[in-house]
Amino acid sequence: MSGTVREPALAPDWELVVGLEVHVELSTASKLFCGCANRFGDAPNTNVCPVCLGLPGSLPVVNARAVDLAMRLGRALGCTVGGAVFARKNYFYPDMPKDYQISQYDQPTSIDGSLELPDGRRIGIERAHIEEDTGKTVHIGGGGRIHDADYALIDYNRAGVPLVEIVSRPEIRSAEQARSYVRELRGVLLATGVSDARMEEGSMRVDANVSVRPAGSDELRTRCEIKNLSSLRSLGRAVEHEARRHAALWSDGDQPRQETRHWDEANGRTTPGRSKEDADDYRYFQDPDLVPLAPDAATVAALDAALPRLPADRRSELAAACAAAGAAASPEAAALLVERGQDDLVAAALKAGADPAVTVTRMVNDLAVEDWSKVTAGGLAALVALETSGQVTATQAKQLMAAMAESGDAPEKIAERLGFEAMSGADLAVTVDEIIAGNADTWQRYLSGDEAERKKLAGFFTGQVMRATKGRADGAAVNRLLHERSARGAS
Ligand code: ZN
Ligand code: MN
């Protein structure tokens, strides 16, 4: 089945209801309850000790740095951050040698926050709790899938790595919004330094709870949890597919079963996992080896004071800078510039007098490069001035932008080097007069024509001037000259 064939969207009489659970690995040097290194990519089972292997008699000691990062994230998400209790979540799985996962249950570190998306919509965050990661199982043979593998290997390097699980409220209403939520959360994680949030390395993993309901209703119907979505593309496709599956079941008088499901990327469908257990099945109880966390007010205040500017703040600052300079930036443009970290550069160029609309257009379209560190606010403002004054064309401005990112030279200097040197007004006037003289009949039709005719013929003359100047002329300047000449001719 080809991934390029798009299945039809969910019918309009159904509404999509999505809540996301995102696990992120914290950027600590060591694991959550022992001193083993928290490092991706090391040789299997080299970062292990009695604690993270669950050997008898070993005792956990909580990593203060991990707690600090988790609380910082909580505050960045606007959560209430306070006392928390570690609990044992009991179940057997080979990659979890203690037979329980240390997590937080009824008293998580962070509750009741929200995340603001670029379109202005706010998605509620129910909780963000600390827990330990499990080891990693690799299935050998049978294409690496559990059902037809010959055997499994387990790497415990990841066992005990600190995680925060961020649980959204079921307030996401489209696959696009689900992707936007994860992208935004990633922006917050990077800004706060809480996680490197690399989906491709598994340091950010997404589970999607999906259900549908008749449009306009506020009921919550049976949901399925799609586990371990490892890219934004998979997330979007899986959510759309699952929603259609539910709508079809309900429409047939049937209903989905509450269960976890796996996303099959190759076939573009979800397949059933285990039927979903309730919290009761895990026999949660407070971990007797760990004391409750009890941050005081001063600790939380210090976290707040140290919070960086977050993506949503930066977007609104950029929008305000554009508005102050006389133009609106679209939410998409603002989100993109903030994601690339180019918002401060734009704001500084505007401060230096650059035209906001042209600046944003140039940046969005022409500075999607890895390394733009050589582009300065002054250089950007100078480039935009060359374009708005008609000294270079839009096409030339694009080339200048690329060359500035590469060399860091001033745009005027690059323009000279590339032969973009501005046509002087006098040179352009001479060319325009030559074209008029060489097309006297057409010029007479232009002078006596109605508005539509003049517009059409202005296009003809501009085209002739562009050809004669090899595209160096500025179209607006040519139009101005034609106007002046026709006013003179008519008088
Ligand atoms: Zn260890
Ligand atoms: Mn979890």
Side-chain angles (χ1 to χ4, degrees):
M1 191 184 289
S2 164
T4 55
V5 177
R6 256 188 97 78
E7 291 181 61
L10 189 63
D13 46 339
W14 291 101
E15 183 175 54
L16 177 59
V17 179
V18 177
L20 295 179
E21 296 174 17
V22 181
H23 287 86
V24 296
E25 290 182 357
L26 303 180
S27 296
T28 55
S30 56
K31 293 188 183 181
L32 185 53
F33 299 116
C34 63
C36 293
N38 169 18
R39 206 162 43 223
F40 179 82
D42 283 1
N45 297 308
T46 52
N47 298 324
V48 291
C49 75
V51 173
C52 55
L53 288 177
L55 300 189
S58 63
L59 285 171
V61 177
V62 73
N63 180 336
R65 170 84 181 152
V67 173
D68 202 65
L69 290 175
M71 293 196 299
R72 185 191 298 177
L73 175 62
R75 293 307 290 168
L77 295 173
C79 293
T80 304
V81 168
V85 170
F86 286 107
R88 292 185 180 181
K89 181 181 183 181
N90 298 281
Y91 65 104
F92 168 78
Y93 207 77
D95 61 17
M96 205 178 58
K98 293 194 299 293
D99 264 8
Y100 59 85
Q101 178 190 28
I102 303 179
S103 182
Q104 295 174 333
Y105 179 48
D106 51 358
Q107 290 185 64
T109 285
S110 305
I111 54 168
D112 286 336
S114 67
L115 187 64
E116 188 185 326
L117 306 187
D119 67 5
R121 196 184 152 90
R122 240 171 221 289
I123 305 297
I125 306 272
E126 191 178 305
R127 56 188 281 150
H129 62 261
I130 304 173
E131 62 186 22
E132 59 180 341
D133 209 344
T134 59
K136 197 173 172 182
T137 309
V138 183
H139 297 101
I140 308 294
R145 285 149 49 102
I146 186 167
H147 358 283
D148 35 30
D150 297 325
Y151 59 95
L153 296 172
I154 303 176
D155 176 8
Y156 289 108
N157 283 353
R158 202 179 68 179
V161 161
L163 296 177
V164 168
E165 177 176 345
I166 303 116
V167 181
S168 88
R169 296 195 188 281
E171 295 174 352
I172 295 166
R173 293 287 171 268
S174 69
E176 180 47 41
Q177 216 170 58
R179 283 195 295 262
S180 175
Y181 171 93
V182 172
R183 212 177 298 135
E184 186 66 19
L185 181 57
R186 185 166 182 275
V188 172
L189 290 162
L190 294 176
T192 50
V194 165
S195 173
D196 61 16
R198 292 192 182 127
M199 289 186 89
E200 69 284 4
E201 287 185 2
S203 64
M204 183 174 192
R205 308 193 287 272
V206 179
D207 303 336
N209 285 292
V210 179
S211 65
V212 298
R213 64 187 174 198
S217 120
D218 57 4
E219 64 181 313
L220 289 175
R221 294 196 171 186
T222 310
R223 64 188 157 87
C224 290
E225 183 181 1
I226 312 166
K227 302 294 279 182
N228 273 325
L229 295 159
S230 56
S231 72
L232 291 178
R233 181 181 140 80
S234 300
L235 169 64
R237 291 181 71 207
V239 163
E240 278 176 3
H241 164 85
E242 187 65 8
R244 279 191 301 269
R245 194 181 70 83
H246 284 219
L249 284 169
W250 291 115
S251 298
D252 287 352
D254 205 346
Q255 64 174 76
R257 234 163 48 104
Q258 184 173 327
E259 64 191 357
T260 64
R261 296 181 69 89
H262 303 287
W263 173 240
D264 179 347
E265 181 76 48
N267 294 305
R269 64 195 174 99
T270 59
T271 56
R274 56 194 147 86
S275 69
K276 183 66 178 170
E277 49 290 286
D278 289 318
D280 290 353
D281 298 329
Y282 289 118
R283 297 294 188 273
Y284 279 100
F285 64 90
Q286 180 173 348
D287 192 306
D289 293 336
L290 290 159
V291 294
L293 300 173
D296 56 17
T299 304
V300 176
L303 288 171
D304 287 352
L307 276 185
R309 289 158 71 218
L310 298 172
D313 305 329
R314 296 174 66 148
R315 285 195 298 271
S316 47
E317 284 168 29
L318 180 60
C322 288
S330 73
E332 295 80 20
L336 186 70
L337 291 171
V338 166
E339 203 170 271
R340 288 192 204 148
Q342 296 172 336
D343 48 320
D344 287 342
L345 177 60
V346 169
L350 300 189
K351 230 174 176 169
D355 176 88
V358 176
T359 306
V360 168
T361 303
R362 277 298 139 255
M363 292 294 292
V364 166
N365 295 341
D366 305 319
L367 205 50
V369 292
E370 194 96 327
D371 181 11
W372 44 272
S373 57
K374 288 179 182 150
V375 179
T376 62
L380 179 58
L383 168 75
V384 170
L386 287 177
E387 184 176 348
T388 51
S389 68
Q391 295 179 72
V392 301
T393 63
T395 314
Q396 291 173 332
K398 273 173 184 291
Q399 290 173 262
L400 287 181
M401 189 71 134
M404 280 165 66
E406 204 150 312
S407 68
D409 289 343
E412 298 89 340
K413 220 175 118 185
I414 303 169
E416 198 181 334
R417 197 161 69 222
L418 296 178
F420 293 171
E421 196 45 63
M423 270 195 88
S424 75
D427 285 350
L428 184 60
V430 168
T431 308
V432 167
D433 286 338
E434 281 170 8
I435 300 286
I436 288 175
N439 296 274
D441 290 354
T442 316
W443 180 246
Q444 280 311 315
R445 272 166 53 212
Y446 175 84
L447 290 180
S448 57
D450 61 11
E451 203 177 328
E453 176 84 349
R454 285 170 71 91
K455 208 168 162 184
K456 200 180 91 193
L457 293 175
F460 164 78
F461 281 108
T462 307
Q464 294 295 310
V465 173
M466 286 300 177
R467 188 170 310 159
T469 60
K470 295 189 172 63
R472 283 163 63 228
D474 169 40
V478 173
N479 260 314
R480 263 197 312 277
L481 284 165
L482 290 173
H483 252 282
E484 280 173 30
R485 298 298 187 267
S486 74
R488 205 189 295 157
S491 66

